[in-house]
Amino acid sequence: MLRFCTSLERLLERITGLAGFIGCTAMVIMIALIFGNMLSRYAFGLGAVWAQELEWYLLSVMAMMGIAYAMKFDDHVRVDILSSRFSPVGMMWLNLITALLVALPCALLIIHYSLPFAETSFHRGEGSPNSSGLPWRWIPKALVVVGFVFVATESVRQALENGRRLVQHYAGRA
């Protein structure tokens, strides 16, 4: 059973790594696009609404993929005043409990409420209110769902990791 949990943990870690890669790639493309937009606007007096909207779409990708990736490396906001006082075993318990009772339920709740929002946008064919804007307004809305699927995945991975580490800790003491 422990071997299965470890394998599942590694698979989920790769999935979260994929989210980080996608977010990082979106950031690089967004920076290049912003530079190109700025250059074309100030050097040549040209601007494109679709390019500015694409920046917004790429920012959505970057932010929504980055949440799970930040969780993976503990680079997220946490109340360190409390957690810094815990022992390593206490931190494992805290991480296990917060993954199962805070992060996972919140992610599932956000998925539950944002999925109909994205579906409605997709079925309506919602696009930019600007005539030269992008026609796929549902993409950033769907990214909320996708991003929190990655958060749920990372929450399960953290619960498995901390549960495994606690089992190993208490088995080593016996």
Side-chain angles (χ1 to χ4, degrees):
M1 182 66 175
L2 194 58
R3 186 170 289 172
F4 171 76
C5 287
T6 304
S7 297
L8 182 58
E9 184 185 327
R10 286 187 188 131
L11 173 65
L12 297 176
E13 187 172 20
R14 277 184 250 144
I15 292 170
T16 303
L18 175 64
F21 175 77
I22 293 168
C24 183
T25 303
M27 184 187 310
V28 170
I29 294 168
M30 185 180 74
I31 290 169
L33 182 63
I34 290 170
F35 179 76
N37 286 342
M38 183 187 69
L39 183 67
S40 67
R41 175 169 291 139
Y42 293 109
F44 306 112
L46 302 171
V49 172
W50 67 266
Q52 287 181 320
E53 289 184 3
L54 186 57
E55 291 173 13
W56 180 57
Y57 284 35
L58 290 167
L59 179 63
S60 300
V61 172
M62 185 184 70
M64 296 313 302
M65 299 299 114
I67 295 170
Y69 197 67
M71 283 177 64
K72 177 180 176 181
F73 292 102
D74 251 359
D75 285 339
H76 53 84
V77 175
R78 178 159 64 197
V79 183
D80 287 331
I81 293 171
L82 299 175
S83 63
S84 65
R85 297 178 186 186
F86 289 178
S87 68
V89 174
M91 282 301 298
M92 285 185 258
W93 276 108
L94 178 66
N95 290 338
L96 175 66
I97 290 167
T98 55
L100 290 176
L101 299 180
V102 178
L104 185 59
C106 285
L108 295 176
L109 198 63
I110 291 170
I111 291 166
H112 174 75
Y113 284 108
S114 62
L115 187 58
F117 183 63
E119 283 178 329
T120 301
S121 181
F122 176 76
H123 290 301
R124 287 183 180 168
E126 188 177 1
S128 173
N130 299 310
S131 61
S132 61
L134 295 175
W136 314 290
R137 184 58 61 96
W138 58 271
I139 291 175
K141 294 177 182 182
L143 282 167
V144 174
V145 176
V146 172
F148 280 96
V149 165
F150 281 115
V151 169
T153 301
E154 179 59 21
S155 299
V156 171
R157 189 204 65 79
Q158 286 185 5
L160 286 171
E161 177 188 18
N162 287 289
R164 175 186 50 79
R165 290 174 64 204
L166 284 166
V167 166
Q168 289 172 336
H169 172 76
Y170 289 116
R173 295 179 75 195

